[in-house]
Amino acid sequence: MQYFIGIVPNEEYKMKVIGFRNKWENNSIGEVVEPHITLKAQGGLTQDEKWISKVEEVCKQTRPFKITIDKPMFFGDQILYLNVLSKELHSLHRNIVREVATSNDLIRKYFELDNYVPHMTLAKTSYGLTKQELNNMAKLAEKELMPYPVFNVNFIRVYKESSPNKYIKHLDIPLDKRNEIFSIKGGRCSSAQN
């Protein structure tokens, strides 16, 4: 049984990505997991789940932030993904990896810390597509998945392996909202960050 931690895009864009990925009938990534941005890979996330309280502590100290989806890119010629931009995301990743006390071997194995590249996977050759299909998909993604959204991150999602190579939502952990300033404007309550 394995776990990983991700960030889910807003519902509208998530459904857009699902529809796009499903255009390729051999693309089995939708059977593995919902569209997400990997925040922390499997390394150090053990079955005893003691690490969850450490992740919750990091999240309590992390203010909600914005994330920007960006153009399609490749890892080698076998994985197509959408790039993700956010300096706060990098900080949150580092803080979680350090708190979980992932070993150096696992950090290297899962491309964490200095090798971390935030991304949302669209397809892989190991999930049924050819390299040519990935190239075709990348060209179409530039047309169909634009405009690339900016969305708020208010929580992170822990995924748990439910069967071999299939992950489902285990739990959502909210980010700390105590640092937001609340004000009344025109009879409505609104919030703004410092």
Side-chain angles (χ1 to χ4, degrees), residues 60-74:
K60 282 180 186 176
Q61 298 170 29
T62 303
R63 292 169 53 171
F65 59 91
K66 293 190 183 301
I67 208 165
T68 302
I69 302 294
D70 198 28
K71 63 186 177 186
M73 298 179 77
F74 287 90

Side-chain angles (χ1 to χ4, degrees), residues 77-80 123-132 134:
D77 58 1
Q78 299 179 353
I79 301 173
L80 173 65
K124 298 181 179 186
T125 55
S126 61
Y127 291 155
L129 295 189
T130 66
K131 293 175 184 178
Q132 185 56 55
L134 287 184

Side-chain angles (χ1 to χ4, degrees), residues 13 17 20-24 27-30 33-38 69-84 117-145 148:
Y13 200 70
V17 170
F20 179 78
R21 296 191 318 187
N22 288 343
K23 288 183 178 189
W24 283 263
N27 189 7
S28 63
I29 193 170
V33 69
E34 69 182 345
H36 67 279
I37 298 149
T38 302
I69 302 294
D70 198 28
K71 63 186 177 186
M73 298 179 77
F74 287 90
F75 290 127
D77 58 1
Q78 299 179 353
I79 301 173
L80 173 65
Y81 65 92
L82 292 175
N83 194 28
V84 176
V117 177
H119 65 281
M120 185 185 311
T121 303
L122 294 175
K124 298 181 179 186
T125 55
S126 61
Y127 291 155
L129 295 189
T130 66
K131 293 175 184 178
Q132 185 56 55
E133 286 173 317
L134 287 184
N135 285 322
N136 295 341
M137 191 183 213
K139 291 173 189 166
L140 197 58
E142 290 192 46
K143 296 174 186 172
E144 293 195 12
L145 295 178
Y148 301 122

